[in-house]
Structures are given as structure tokens and as C-alpha cells.
Amino acid sequence: MPLEQANQMLPRFFRVRQEYPTPRLGDLRRSVSAAIHTAGLFDRLNPGDSIAITAGSRGIHNISQILRELVDQLRQVGVKPFLVPAMGSHGGATAHGQVALLASLGVTEGAVGCPIKSSMETIVVCQSDEGFPVHFDRCASEADHVLVVNRVKPHTRFHGAIESGLMKMMLIGLGKHAGAIVYHRASQSFSFDQIVRSVARIVIDQCRVCGGIAILENGDEETAEMVGIPAREIETTEPSLLQRVREWLPRLPFDRAELLIVDEIGKEISGTGMDTNVIGRKKSDHYVEGLESPAIHSIYVRRLTEGTAGNASGIGIAEFCHQRILEQIDFQKTRINCLTAGHATGAMMPLSFPTDKDAILAALSQRGWVESVDSRIMWIRNTLKLREIQCSEVYWEEAHRRPELVILNDPTDLEFDSSGDLFECF
């Protein structure tokens, strides 16, 4: 179909900017020092003690600087810190792959100033009350102390008082690939909340966990707070931190759409490539359940991020994708990650198309009894970058009524290049 004819079938788009709370951390060094003291670490550590510090796979803002500052301040009291990758099956479920993944996040031995000890080997601490083995990173098990560092945020597949954070890091991160398989399998029989509480309690009691550093981020992916927590208070403290983060979580500006266009997905953006807390498919890949919001009929994904290194976990949540994604996927990494997470459908392939124009028109053919030019469409870069969004003209009047939305331009036609792909706008 000629581009001119395609544009006649598509709505015009305007750009909005969302205003939402963005608390920001002050002085990093002072904040790390305060978190260390609040966690009571100096009361438990002795000169010469070794301490394993967890380093996860999520794209945490300033993570290299945060870890460097932790290492520096712990060394000042004579402690010997080292990092352990704590990321379940990520990085292809290999020791080398996990070190490489950390390096892609700026976390290297040179950057943080201490060794990184990476192994996929675990010890089995004991059997949980539910009857499954509790795995724990062997390198961490050999340290005198373990400090758990992670961002607290809503999980993409589970809902509860405890989701993604320090408790989950002790469960799946430090459980490595073997533990991740066990726990995700167990989640088919027990609630995630029950599993994470059960295992974390065991790990704290038997694996010399000395405390946790919880990192909270605002809606612009900036560090908002760092909270130090004594080990035995992590379980009771984390729920209130999660609730605080929920209040800052950016969302799509409108609660219904025939189509959501997503420029990129990747593991550094979300465990499911795109955050289901944003797109509204937390319980089911292709429709919303209960009071979930927003209700998105179809999702079109244009590419993988470079940082995801071919891991396309979550691509199965989309109905449509650009053909280039098939060339970007590392199918082995994707399979391992999705099977380990108990989310096999997350690796299933959407319908692929050679151009953006073809994919968008195909998606709109499934829209129901709505004229194409009246279709509700939102276009985002990814589910972390939601400050500015392209919206189809049908939202125009509502956007004017919403004080938290700033309209940046009048509606205009989508712009495609000669091959039928969209010009980049983010």
C-alpha cells in the first residue's frame, strides 16, 4: 500500500508530557554512609571479615557508583568486600555471561574496586517447610557476611506485599539458575509471597546475611532513596518501601487503547521486556483481568534493546513485532530465561512484519468496530521512558482536560521513510 494511502487510514498524532512526582537522592556518599549505619553493619563487621555484596541484572541507575561507594566505605573499617552476581538464570545462565552482563551495566572489578566472584554453583542450605531445596550461591556462602543490595519495585508477574526487591534477591538472585528453577516451579503450587518469605527467612538465619540496602527509584529512573535495613527487619520493612515506589510509578496517560506501539523491549527495562505494571497484562499475556489497567487490545514491538544482548523474554506478550526482531533474538538465552521463570509463553513469537506500516495496519485490522482514523493508539519508547508519549488524535479532548498532561504540539500525520518504517521520535 502506498504511504500516502496508508496515512489516510491512520489517525494523526500529538505529543504529551506527563507530570508526576520525582523525588531525587541528594549526596550519594552521604546517603550510602547513612544506609550502612541504619542497617547496623558496623556493629556486626570486624576487621578482616569478608563480605559478599550482591550485584543484580536490573538496570539500576548509578549502580556502579553505589557499589563503589559501598566497597570504599566498608574497606575503611578493614572489611574485605567482593561482589557476587545475583541474577538467577540471566546472562545465559553461565558464570561468564553474568560477569559480561554486569559489565554492560558498568559494573566491573575496576569500576567498583573489588573482585567479582562469579559461579553458577550453589549449596543446598536445607529443605523449606514446603518441601523444596533452598539453593544459595557458593561464593557468597564462603564469605563471613552477605550484604543484599537491590532495587525495590513491583514485580511483573506477581502481586503481593512483597514483590521484587531484597527478599526476592535472596530467593532467586542468590539461588542462581538452580534456585530460580526450583522457586518458579514451586510458584505453580504456592503463592510467591509464601515462597519468598519462607526462603528469605532461612537464608537470613543460616547464610550470615548481615543486612540489606534497598534502592528506590522515581518515575524517571533516578535514585530517589537508599534505605539500610538490618537483616531481621527486611521482611517487615520491604512492604512499605514497595508501596512508596508504587506511588511514584509512571503509567500510560490513558486507560484504553486499540494499539500500543513500543519502540524497544529488553531485560534491563523489565524482567518481561516491557513492564506489565505499565501495560496492564500482569496476570495474562494477552488480556487484562479484573481491575487491571490499562486495557490494551494489541501491542506492537519494533526492536530489542542493545543491552538485552538478544534476550527477548516477554516478546510473547506482544501480538505484533517488526521482522528485525527475529534477527536480533538469541533464542537460547530467551528459552532458558523464560523456562526458568515458568513463563514459556513469554518466548512465543508474535506475528512479524517487514515494516512498521505493515505491522500497524495489520494491528488495526483487529481493532473491532472502530474506524482506523478513530483508533486509540499510544506510542512509547519503552515502559521506563514514559515522560513523553505520542497519542492518536482521539485522545485530544481528554488530554486538554487533564492538568497533569502538557500538550506539546498539534496533531500531525505519522512520518514513514521510503521503506515504510517510522522516523524515530524519542
Side-chain angles (χ1 to χ4, degrees), residues 21 52 147 149 334 367 388 393:
L147 176 62
V149 179
T334 304
R367 68 192 178 279
E388 293 190 5
E393 193 170 9

Side-chain angles (χ1 to χ4, degrees), residues 16 63 79 107 131 150 178 185 188 209 276 288-289 299 335 361 370 392:
V16 299
I63 186 58
V79 176
V107 178
N150 200 20
R185 180 181 169 194
Q188 308 299 316
V209 174
T276 55
V288 297
E289 291 188 9
I299 296 176
R335 277 194 293 267
L361 290 174
V370 179
S392 62

Side-chain angles (χ1 to χ4, degrees), residues 209-229:
V209 174
C210 59
I213 305 292
I215 301 168
L216 314 186
E217 292 190 350
N218 64 29
D220 286 337
E221 299 181 76
E222 300 164 327
T223 311
E225 290 185 39
M226 272 190 289
V227 182
I229 312 172

Side-chain angles (χ1 to χ4, degrees), residues 2 29 32 66 72 76 166 181 222 247 281 323 332 394:
R29 176 182 292 271
V32 169
I66 290 170
D72 284 349
Q76 288 175 17
L166 302 178
I181 290 174
E222 300 164 327
E247 295 171 359
R281 299 184 178 191
Q323 193 167 293
Q332 178 68 359
V394 72

Side-chain angles (χ1 to χ4, degrees), residues 16-86:
V16 299
R17 184 175 68 242
Q18 299 194 91
E19 302 293 348
Y20 43 75
T22 51
R24 293 180 176 86
L25 190 73
D27 182 86
L28 178 61
R29 176 182 292 271
R30 186 173 299 174
S31 297
V32 169
S33 177
I36 289 174
H37 281 86
T38 304
L41 298 186
F42 290 150
D43 296 331
R44 302 190 60 177
L45 306 178
N46 299 304
D49 284 355
S50 60
I51 182 169
I53 303 172
T54 64
S57 53
R58 296 292 181 259
I60 301 173
H61 187 65
N62 284 334
I63 186 58
S64 182
Q65 296 95 313
I66 290 170
L67 291 173
R68 176 69 189 224
E69 195 59 47
L70 275 170
V71 167
D72 284 349
Q73 295 195 29
L74 291 171
R75 273 200 167 139
Q76 288 175 17
V77 295
V79 176
K80 299 176 181 178
F82 65 92
L83 299 190
V84 291

